[in-house]
Amino acid sequence: VRPAPSTSAPHDAAVVELRTRYRRVRRETERLIAPLGAEDMVAQSMPDASPAKWHLAHTTWFFETFLLAAASSDYRPFDPAYAYLFNSYYEAVGPRQPRPQRGLLTRPSLDEVLAYRRHVDRRMDALIGAGLDAAQRALVRLGLAHEEQHQELLLMDVLHLFSRSPLKPAYDRERPLEAGGRSAEFRRVHGGLVEIGARGDAFAFDNESPRHSVWLPPYEIADRLVTNREWLAFIADGGYRRAELWLSDGWERVQAEGWEAPLYWERGADGWRQMSLQGPRAVDPDAPVLHVSYYEAAAFANWAGARLPTEAEWEHAARAGVLEQVDDVAWQWTQSAYASYPGYRAPPGAVGEYNGKFMVGQLVLRGGASVTPRGHARVSYRNFYRPEQRWMFSGVRLARDVHEDAAHVPDSAFAADAVAGLSSTPKTLSPKYFYDAAGSALFEAICTLPEYYPTRTESALLAEIAGAITEDVPDGAALIEFGSGASEKTRRLLDAAPQIALYVPVDISAAALEDAARRLAADYPRLAVQPVVQDFTAEFALPEACQARAKIGFFPGSTIGNFDSAQAVRFLRSARRLLGDGALFVVGADLVKDEATLVAAYDDAAGVTARFDKNLLVRMNRELGADFDVDAFDHRAVWNADASRIEMHLVSRIEQTVHVAGRRFRFAAGETLHTENSHKFTPEAFRALAGAAGWVVERQWISPAPQFAVFALRAPAPARGS
């Protein structure tokens, strides 16, 4: 091979990355055929499917034809006959074996096809290593995405083949199945003028461009997919026998082919069973329905009093973060015909036949499936199939129309605070809204990150000093924790003071409280646990069981740093009133340290804190009917030395307008939503803060660097006669 002139050093990072990705994708295809025998890989179960051996050869032919042969006029094909045998649909390249007859290709043998792959892989490795121009790099990336598509097709085709065998063999009995879960809930999306399509420099197929504006009326979309339980109800209600539910062509197909359930379902004496890559299994009522055609999806939506979403509605909702089961369960039918976007032009040459020539008579599916290679799908990805096809891993997500004058505007403290914060200058929102179930889980993940020193430093310090903190705690005392979350640090005090009889965790997240209370009750059977679902910054009453008990307050994690000085004093005064005279209050507080350590703790390399920050937008989308495009905001953490605090912001990447709780808010490009402050203290500053709220610092403990402090505060009783 005589490669094109080098435009990059043979061993630079781009070459290494592309070569590594090429090897990984090619190895993955061969890993997928490992459970198959040679006989399995030559059979073709229907015209729409292809033998596994053909997939192995065709993906290799792509690289040989469009890269190796194009790079050098001296390149000699591995076998000239393969150009006919393994071309798929590229008219510009020449004639080909008819698709329905691919199963007749008993020759070349499997060994010869694998030798073909090794030959092309060696030549491609050398070509990539010698350096590629931009067009060649783009073709390699296209070839790898093409091979990932065939990895998914290979599994689809194997399942169809095995389903036709009387033996019903399993492809892989250990392969994970699609998980069940709760039923879907409809989420309201405002719509308006939105943009869809691929953006940025990341790889995308040509049919995902150009990015363009679409007007969307307000709509509702299901956050999860339709389940087998719901489909069983559709069947029981005569769904496959009621012509009024079906499109005309779909009803003809039902009658002609005798459809009475999704593909791969069979009714037995013990109920419905379903063929899967694990082999036959009972239909799981809570799992998502799979292998349904567009006709079936549309009929079910009609029966359910809903409709299928458009692809623009789907993409807008996915970018807003309101959808679950986006790309790891089943491709989801939309009601959108597969057509070009405004301004689309197919690329010139044979590669231009990749997508554009199929833009007729097919419907778009969005998302991804359990058989889709991880990282292959994107929110702009446009899959497409004919409306009668069912052997894909295709499922159903519902949508509904709404009207602005009938729109529900949430009436809650969250809605009021969001509207107030977004109306202020600068825009801000209280960090207490971080902690829904997803946010609480993300925060627990943050606490395990190498950059996030506060949790491990405080935990180690508490393990060392728990005995000293609790040495004077009387029998039967009540421990009240503010913002308890998972209650992990609480265990340090409970282990050191088994005389504590009652634990009262206070948190805004009911899910976090329920989980923590269940685990603590199991681990501390003699401890009474009485959770309180409450915003601990507001006034609230303790359970009656706390009365007449000595009280210890617990406020770890340096959450005190989320308040400004006035708010911190108000909270500490409120806690003093709640806990009463003589109470002990244990408070964790992070101390001032170098900027690099501080910023890294709130902007980790893995991006977990960024997802935690952006979850605020996802939560507003879900609970307040907002329409934030989560990807249009960046997470930023900065050290404000003048205010002695780390600040977290969500920064708008573009000029945009969002709707929240029935209101419109404009963001300029670069404008921020200030989501959290984390003040850092000196011991002297914290003593002054506590004193202003009526507490006395009895003791303090400070860890080695990175320094973190735990303070034991006492609420002094009023002087006699005062």
Side-chain angles (χ1 to χ4, degrees):
V1 176
R2 184 165 60 232
S6 176
T7 58
S8 59
H11 301 292
D12 70 10
V15 169
V16 172
E17 186 277 330
L18 192 59
R19 176 184 273 157
T20 301
R21 174 160 164 70
Y22 178 90
R23 293 171 177 173
R24 179 178 60 78
V25 171
R26 297 284 284 172
R27 282 197 300 267
E28 177 62 15
T29 303
E30 296 184 17
R31 186 191 69 81
L32 291 175
I33 66 166
L36 303 175
E39 296 85 354
D40 297 325
M41 287 192 273
V42 73
Q44 181 179 17
S45 57
M46 65 169 175
D48 282 339
S50 298
K53 186 175 71 173
W54 188 90
H55 287 296
L56 293 173
H58 167 69
T59 51
T60 305
W61 169 88
F62 185 100
F63 289 109
E64 183 180 56
T65 301
F66 294 117
L67 280 145
L68 296 179
S72 170
S73 58
D74 296 336
Y75 177 79
R76 298 182 62 183
F78 181 82
D79 188 324
Y82 289 6
Y84 177 86
L85 297 179
F86 302 124
N87 182 4
S88 55
Y89 51 72
Y90 295 93
E91 300 287 350
V93 177
R96 59 202 174 277
Q97 174 81 351
R99 179 171 182 168
Q101 298 176 25
R102 291 172 183 169
L104 302 179
L105 299 177
T106 58
R107 303 294 176 90
S109 68
L110 175 62
D111 286 343
E112 289 172 306
V113 167
L114 293 175
Y116 177 39
R117 287 180 67 88
R118 290 192 293 271
H119 167 83
V120 168
D121 286 347
R122 286 193 299 270
R123 298 301 183 94
M124 282 297 302
D125 197 73
L127 182 67
I128 295 171
L132 305 176
D133 61 29
Q136 289 172 314
R137 288 195 297 272
L139 270 175
V140 174
R141 293 189 181 95
L142 177 62
L144 295 175
H146 167 256
E147 181 140 355
E148 288 179 329
Q149 288 181 315
H150 278 270
Q151 290 168 357
E152 177 175 314
L153 285 166
L154 190 153
L155 292 176
M156 289 164 44
D157 294 348
V158 165
L159 176 58
H160 190 270
L161 175 67
F162 284 4
S163 76
R164 294 298 181 261
S165 168
L167 300 178
K168 296 291 189 287
Y171 164 76
D172 180 1
R173 294 196 183 280
E174 302 302 317
R175 185 177 179 87
L177 299 176
E178 292 75 18
R182 65 171 177 83
S183 298
E185 298 178 7
F186 280 95
R187 305 299 184 189
R188 187 177 183 279
V189 182
H190 281 281
L193 189 65
V194 305
E195 286 193 339
I196 67 166
R199 63 185 181 192
D201 297 327
F203 174 83
F205 290 119
D206 58 27
N207 66 354
E208 300 172 49
S209 298
R211 190 163 172 80
H212 61 287
S213 296
V214 177
W215 177 262
L216 297 179
Y219 62 100
E220 291 182 334
I221 189 166
D223 60 359
R224 293 177 66 84
L225 304 186
V226 170
T227 65
N228 290 325
R229 187 185 305 279
E230 294 165 304
W231 207 270
L232 287 165
F234 172 68
I235 294 172
D237 197 36
Y240 283 89
R241 302 189 302 274
R242 295 170 53 184
E244 73 273 13
L245 298 175
W246 293 78
L247 295 167
S248 176
D249 288 351
W251 183 242
E252 288 185 12
R253 185 74 60 165
V254 169
Q255 294 176 301
E257 299 186 5
W259 291 356
E260 60 174 4
L263 185 65
Y264 305 139
W265 283 32
E266 292 184 357
R267 196 195 303 265
D270 55 349
W272 288 100
R273 293 182 66 78
Q274 170 179 12
M275 184 63 180
S276 74
L277 290 168
Q278 274 196 0
R281 60 186 174 97
V283 168
D284 177 359
D286 295 320
V289 70
L290 298 174
H291 306 295
V292 294
S293 67
Y294 174 83
Y295 292 137
E296 290 166 287
F300 179 90
N302 194 13
W303 173 81
R307 59 173 175 82
L308 301 178
T310 67
E311 63 170 324
E313 289 173 333
W314 188 99
E315 183 174 328
H316 180 54
R319 289 193 186 279
V322 300
L323 306 184
E324 300 178 24
Q325 299 177 315
V326 172
D327 61 4
D328 58 352
V329 178
W331 290 98
Q332 298 139 52
W333 287 105
T334 74
Q335 61 174 266
S336 297
Y338 179 50
S340 61
Y341 284 163
Y344 171 81
R345 294 291 182 272
V351 174
E353 299 184 54
Y354 198 85
N355 283 308
K357 64 191 286 182
F358 301 110
M359 291 177 172
V360 63
Q362 308 202 66
L363 280 300
V364 173
L365 299 92
R366 288 304 196 102
S370 59
V371 291
T372 307
R374 293 304 89 190
H376 177 71
R378 313 165 276 287
V379 293
S380 61
Y381 199 117
R382 305 176 77 200
N383 207 344
F384 50 93
Y385 284 97
R386 297 193 305 275
E388 75 278 6
Q389 291 176 306
R390 325 201 276 170
W391 99 110
M392 317 83 67
F393 280 65
S394 49
V396 183
R397 186 186 299 276
L398 299 178
R400 296 191 302 212
D401 297 320
V402 298
H403 302 286
E404 284 287 7
D405 56 0
H408 171 65
V409 177
D411 180 17
S412 66
F414 186 18
D417 287 350
V419 168
L422 291 167
S423 301
S424 63
T425 303
K427 294 180 173 68
T428 186
L429 189 60
S430 170
K432 68 186 179 184
Y433 294 113
F434 279 135
Y435 299 99
D436 62 349
S440 296
L442 282 167
F443 183 71
E444 294 306 315
I446 288 170
C447 292
T448 67
L449 295 171
E451 299 97 329
Y452 196 74
Y453 65 86
T455 298
R456 65 174 179 273
T457 305
E458 183 183 28
S459 295
L461 182 59
L462 284 170
E464 180 183 337
I465 66 174
I469 292 173
T470 59
E471 60 188 1
D472 295 327
V473 171
D475 288 346
L479 177 64
I480 298 95
E481 183 173 1
F482 299 85
S484 54
S487 301
E488 290 299 327
K489 294 171 188 171
T490 319
R491 295 169 180 265
R492 303 293 190 189
L493 301 188
L494 295 176
D495 290 342
Q499 67 270 31
I500 294 175
L502 174 64
Y503 173 54
V504 181
V506 183
D507 200 280
I508 198 170
S509 171
L513 278 175
E514 181 181 351
D515 183 58
R518 182 175 61 252
R519 287 186 285 111
L520 284 173
D523 294 343
Y524 299 89
R526 298 177 60 185
L527 179 71
V529 181
Q530 293 195 14
V532 175
V533 181
Q534 177 65 49
D535 173 4
F536 65 80
T537 66
E539 296 289 338
F540 66 97
L542 291 173
E544 188 173 335
C546 286
Q547 307 309 317
R549 293 181 185 271
K551 300 177 186 64
I552 308 103
F554 190 36
F555 195 41
S558 201
T559 308
I560 189 72
N562 293 153
F563 305 127
D564 62 29
S565 295
Q567 292 169 335
V569 169
R570 283 198 299 272
F571 166 72
L572 291 170
R573 285 175 179 165
S574 174
R576 192 194 184 294
R577 289 192 296 271
L578 188 74
L579 299 173
D581 294 343
L584 175 66
F585 194 14
V586 181
V587 181
D590 196 14
L591 301 185
V592 174
K593 53 187 59 64
D594 67 281
E595 181 175 353
T597 300
L598 290 168
V599 171
Y602 294 83
D603 193 10
D604 61 277
V608 181
T609 311
R611 295 199 297 275
F612 174 72
D613 203 7
K614 289 185 178 185
N615 186 60
L616 267 176
L617 307 182
V618 174
R619 186 178 181 187
M620 284 191 279
N621 287 346
R622 185 180 66 247
E623 297 182 23
L624 305 183
D627 57 0
F628 284 99
D629 179 349
V630 178
D631 291 336
F633 288 83
D634 291 324
H635 165 73
R636 180 186 296 167
V638 295
W639 170 242
N640 184 335
D642 292 339
S644 193
R645 71 190 185 198
I646 281 283
E647 297 177 357
M648 293 206 322
H649 297 262
L650 290 167
V651 186
S652 179
R653 301 177 65 183
I654 57 175
E655 183 176 335
Q656 57 183 308
T657 299
V658 298
H659 302 80
V660 182
R663 300 278 297 276
R664 292 164 58 93
F665 300 96
R666 180 185 173 278
F667 280 84
E671 185 176 1
T672 76
L673 172 59
H674 190 167
T675 55
E676 184 179 42
N677 292 321
S678 185
H679 289 84
K680 308 303 174 182
F681 301 90
T682 63
E684 296 75 20
F686 187 85
R687 285 176 177 271
L689 192 73
W695 293 95
V696 173
V697 176
E698 281 193 339
R699 299 182 70 178
Q700 69 179 37
W701 299 268
I702 298 176
S703 75
Q707 289 188 325
F708 193 99
V710 172
F711 297 92
L713 313 184
R714 186 71 69 177
R720 188 181 302 274
S722 62

